[in-house]
């Protein structure tokens, strides 16, 4: 369950938060496939409660009404079409699976597929679920439960969301059928929402009943779905990430927290020389990593001071470090713009989602940020693909916040987060030649629109990243020789 089964030569996934299935299919064909992205985490595809009381907040999608594939992102046919078109261009789909709970209790009770529930009776006829399928008696997770009481974290309600009992055969069967339906349609894996709130033993039973990935969609025979479990573990709690790594991969929230701190100047970059498990991060193969996610970019979940698109310069640098470094399975966030942390994605007055528009410079409009279309980010996706399975060599630092390293003989990157210029002749480990910096520009014909780096026969080159440059890094690789 720890292999994403990317198509050959690909390595990075992007969370297209709240995108419509038709738009994702188009994005696979026009952008993600050609640019070498590995996969996409999609928003929950199953029916959710409509919450007009909060003007259709983004979080209504975390309140399941049924497992029917009917949401603001599209219906079952559009879903199947998206998966097929994305797999055809080598881009995998990972589903955000909300299997810990159903809805909370609201005055409104109509779902995006038109189904209803009776909250008082714990009745969700469109699954169907009834009272016996939920943990009983009702209790609510309190903040201090995280420190003391694993059984309350697993058996009580998270934020008042009706807590399914995955120990029962009926609940297991409903969840497994839902997930297997998606696997048969060609998805490559799942994010397991709120995994901390489910018993590892129950999850193991569910995972082991999942089908192999669908060979008709290009997966090798016998391939198991990639599973990454959302467990927020910053230390000091009764439930630990180590209970989940024997099952499948786990989201590593310390990763974005520490890199945000470093690139905001709270830690010198030289300390990143031993980035990885020595920082008390999970083992690399167990770890799904990101700078921000849909929760912590807006103050939900855990961790303050997380870099987001709103602090673009250090954010791009943190992303570049994540993609240049071999540790973990990286995930990019692709956001819609927001001021209000509860606000949902761009919509018209009927509540239908508005598609992103695509500008002539490849960026997005209509309220969508599309970080995955920022040059400094998508060109680092290509950098990671070129670096492949190489490890780090020729680490250099100035004893402060100027660092540089090579990835085998494939790629080289330098960062300057000091307040003075970086001007050094450094070992790049690349063959002699002229290379285009993929951060300040791109290769155009035989020249570079940004900085050009000339590597000598000894592999060394003069590297310059000014303290006031637009970006704080410079990156070159063998795919972009000029
Ligand atoms: C909404 C409303 C609620 C209403 C509810 C029911 O906002 O007022 O009661 O509906 O009707 C999302 C939103 C929720 C929303 C929910 C359903 O974030 O606001 O509730 O949809 O619409 C915990 C879980 C983690 C979860 C996170 C948000 O462990 O699994 O809370 N994330 C996922 C999704 C998320 C979604 C759900 C789960 C539910 O990614 O989008 O919720 O499907 C500690 C614990 C964490 C815990 C946090 C927050 O963290 O460790 O496990 O996350 O507390 O409760 C420091 C500590 C750190 C600590 C943190 C916060 O940083 O170091 O460990 O402080 O105390």
């Amino acid at each position: 369950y720890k292999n994403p089964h990317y198509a050959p030569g690909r390595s990075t996934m992007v969370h297209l938060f709240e995108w419509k299935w038709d738009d994702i299919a188009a994005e696979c064909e026009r952008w993600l496939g050609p640019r070498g992205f590995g996969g996409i985490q999609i928003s929950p595809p199953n029916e959710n409660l409509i919450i007009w009381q909060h003007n259709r907040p983004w979080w209504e999608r975390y309140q399941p009404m049924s497992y029917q594939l009917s949401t603001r992102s599209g219906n079952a046919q559009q879903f199947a079409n998206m998966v097929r078109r994305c797999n055809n261009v080598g881009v995998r789909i990972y589903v955000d699976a909300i299997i810990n709970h159903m809805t909370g209790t609201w005055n409104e009770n109509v779902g995006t597929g038109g189904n209803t529930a009776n909250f008082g009776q714990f009745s969700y006829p469109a699954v169907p679920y009834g009272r016996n399928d939920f943990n009983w008696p009702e209790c609510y997770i309190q903040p201090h439960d995280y420190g003391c009481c694993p059984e309350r974290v697993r058996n009580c309600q998270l934020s008042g969301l009706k807590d399914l009992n995955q120990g029962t055969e009926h609940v297991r069967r409903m969840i497994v059928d839902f997930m297997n339906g998606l696997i048969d349609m060609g998805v490559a894996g799942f994010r397991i929402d709120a995994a901390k709130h489910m018993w590892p033993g129950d999850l193991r039973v569910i995972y082991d009943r999942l089908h192999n990935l669908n060979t008709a969609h290009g997966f090798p025979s016998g391939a198991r779905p990639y599973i990454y479990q959302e467990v927020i573990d910053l230390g000091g709690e009764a439930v630990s990430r180590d209970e989940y790594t024997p099952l499948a991969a786990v989201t590593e929230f310390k990763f974005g927290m520490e890199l945000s701190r470093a690139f905001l100047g709270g830690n010198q970059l030289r300390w990143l020389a031993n980035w990885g498990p020595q920082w008390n991060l999970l083992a690399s193969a167990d770890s799904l990593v990101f700078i921000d996610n849909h929760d912590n970019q807006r103050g939900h979940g855990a961790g303050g001071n997380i870099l987001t698109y709103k602090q673009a310069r250090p954010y791009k640098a943190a992303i570049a470090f994540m993609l240049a470094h071999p540790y973990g399975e990286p995930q990019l966030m692709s956001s819609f713009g927001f001021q209000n942390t509860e606000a949902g994605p761009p919509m018209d007055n009927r509540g239908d989602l508005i598609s992103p528009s695509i500008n002539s410079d490849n960026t997005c409009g209509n309220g969508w940020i599309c970080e995955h279309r920022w040059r400094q980010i998508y060109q680092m996706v290509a950098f990671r693909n070129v670096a492949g399975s190489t490890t780090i060599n020729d680490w250099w630092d100035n004893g402060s916040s100027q660092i540089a390293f090579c990835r085998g003989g494939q790629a080289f990157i330098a960062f300057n987060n000091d307040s003075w210029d970086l001007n050094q002749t450094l070992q790049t480990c690349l063959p002699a030649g002229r290379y285009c910096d993929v951060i300040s520009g791109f290769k155009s014909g035989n020249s570079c629109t940004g900085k050009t780096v000339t590597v000598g026969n000894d592999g060394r080159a003069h590297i310059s990243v000014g303290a006031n440059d637009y970006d704080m890094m410079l990156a070159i690789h063998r795919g972009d020789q000029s």
Side-chain angles (χ1 to χ4, degrees):
Y1 306 107
K2 294 180 181 174
N3 179 348
H5 292 293
Y6 290 137
R10 297 176 185 256
S11 61
T12 303
M13 80 160 85
V14 54
H15 180 18
L16 294 182
F17 183 45
E18 290 273 17
W19 278 49
K20 290 190 278 188
W21 309 152
D22 288 349
D23 294 335
I24 291 180
E27 190 71 350
C28 281
E29 291 165 352
R30 72 191 167 200
W31 186 260
L32 300 172
R35 297 281 174 182
F37 285 75
I40 305 164
Q41 180 185 308
I42 58 162
S43 280
N46 60 302
E47 179 177 18
N48 63 266
L49 180 64
I50 295 175
I51 306 181
W52 275 111
Q53 272 166 269
H54 288 265
N55 202 31
R56 310 291 312 263
W58 62 270
W59 44 260
E60 71 169 40
R61 295 190 73 161
Y62 291 86
Q63 306 216 6
M65 184 63 108
S66 79
Y67 297 129
Q68 294 173 18
L69 302 185
S70 182
T71 60
R72 287 204 284 186
S73 287
N75 60 30
Q77 190 201 328
Q78 290 165 317
F79 183 89
N81 181 53
M82 164 186 74
V83 177
R84 183 180 48 75
R85 286 168 63 188
C86 289
N87 277 329
N88 278 344
V89 294
V91 180
R92 303 310 192 193
I93 300 291
Y94 304 88
V95 170
D96 195 352
I98 319 303
I99 59 174
N100 171 64
H101 53 260
M102 299 300 282
T103 68
T105 296
W106 291 85
N107 300 328
E108 302 168 280
N109 76 337
V110 180
T112 48
N115 291 300
T116 58
N118 183 330
F119 305 127
Q121 300 296 317
F122 286 65
S123 169
Y124 295 84
V127 178
Y129 283 138
R131 172 151 309 195
N132 294 336
D133 299 316
F134 294 86
N135 283 311
W136 197 256
E138 248 181 307
C139 50
Y140 304 88
I141 299 171
Q142 305 296 331
H144 85 269
D145 290 334
Y146 287 109
C148 63
C149 307
E151 65 297 332
R152 287 187 54 88
V153 172
R154 265 71 174 255
N155 294 347
C156 296
Q157 296 176 2
L158 168 62
S159 309
L161 298 156
K162 305 256 179 285
D163 197 51
L164 288 166
N165 179 356
Q166 291 80 11
T168 73
E169 179 50 30
H170 179 71
V171 171
R172 288 175 176 174
R173 188 172 327 121
M174 292 301 102
I175 290 172
V176 167
D177 287 352
F178 165 55
M179 294 173 78
N180 276 336
L182 297 167
I183 291 172
D184 295 348
M185 289 167 101
V187 310
F190 302 92
R191 168 187 185 267
I192 305 297
D193 181 75
K196 178 192 278 186
H197 304 278
M198 293 180 275
W199 294 98
D202 292 339
L203 290 175
R204 185 186 289 279
V205 171
I206 290 169
Y207 301 164
D208 285 346
R209 288 193 198 172
L210 296 178
H211 293 168
N212 290 334
L213 300 183
N214 189 338
T215 52
H217 282 261
F219 296 104
S221 78
R224 301 301 290 156
Y226 180 50
I227 293 180
Y228 51 104
Q229 308 165 101
E230 189 226 6
V231 178
I232 299 173
D233 182 356
L234 302 179
E237 289 191 19
V239 174
S240 126
R241 60 189 186 178
D242 301 333
E243 297 172 61
Y244 293 86
T245 48
L247 304 177
V250 168
T251 53
E252 178 51 276
F253 280 83
K254 286 182 190 145
F255 184 98
M257 200 186 72
E258 293 290 1
L259 288 185
S260 294
R261 192 200 321 265
F263 285 94
L264 279 166
N267 215 343
Q268 291 178 326
L269 298 189
R270 66 169 164 138
W271 299 116
L272 296 174
N274 63 355
W275 183 240
Q278 290 186 64
W279 281 65
N280 198 18
L281 302 179
L282 288 165
S284 182
D286 289 341
S287 163
L288 186 282
V289 301
F290 45 90
I291 302 301
D292 56 332
N293 82 345
H294 72 281
D295 282 331
N296 64 17
Q297 72 168 191
R298 48 173 51 71
H300 283 239
N305 294 320
I306 296 292
L307 281 170
T308 72
Y309 76 88
K310 294 182 190 236
Q311 290 165 285
R313 191 173 187 270
Y315 183 63
K316 286 178 286 181
I319 297 272
F321 184 84
M322 170 174 82
L323 294 177
H325 198 286
Y327 175 84
E329 210 57 80
Q331 181 180 66
L332 296 170
M333 181 70 205
S334 187
S335 317
F336 58 82
F338 64 91
Q339 299 298 327
N340 171 351
T341 58
E342 312 303 304
M347 65 172 185
D348 60 25
N349 49 24
R350 289 190 323 204
D352 293 335
L353 299 186
I354 296 173
S355 299
S357 57
I358 307 295
N359 302 320
S360 59
D361 64 355
N362 290 325
T363 61
C364 291
N366 283 350
W368 299 87
I369 306 299
C370 293
E371 293 90 325
H372 69 287
R373 282 173 164 272
W374 294 7
R375 184 189 66 239
Q376 300 87 339
I377 293 180
Y378 71 77
Q379 299 216 114
M380 285 306 297
V381 171
F383 177 111
R384 188 177 190 82
N385 291 342
V386 170
S389 58
T390 60
T391 53
I392 288 184
N393 54 293
D394 288 87
W395 177 277
W396 170 88
D397 65 60
N398 69 341
S400 178
S401 283
Q402 299 180 353
I403 62 171
F405 57 88
C406 300
R407 291 291 305 276
Q410 296 296 311
F412 165 87
I413 192 162
F415 295 85
N416 177 12
N417 202 21
D418 279 329
S419 57
W420 60 93
D421 295 346
L422 162 56
N423 258 313
Q424 291 280 342
T425 297
L426 296 174
Q427 179 54 254
T428 70
C429 312
L430 292 172
R434 289 172 58 214
Y435 295 82
C436 296
D437 170 25
V438 300
I439 301 299
S440 58
F442 47 86
K443 188 174 142 191
S444 172
N446 274 334
S447 59
C448 308
T449 64
K451 296 176 189 170
T452 303
V453 177
T454 304
V455 175
N457 289 327
D458 57 358
R460 289 160 66 84
H462 182 256
I463 303 298
S464 159
V465 185
N468 296 317
D469 281 5
Y470 189 72
D471 286 299
M472 62 171 91
M473 60 283 179
L474 174 153
I476 54 178
H477 62 73
R478 288 183 80 161
D480 264 348
Q481 224 160 338
S482 88

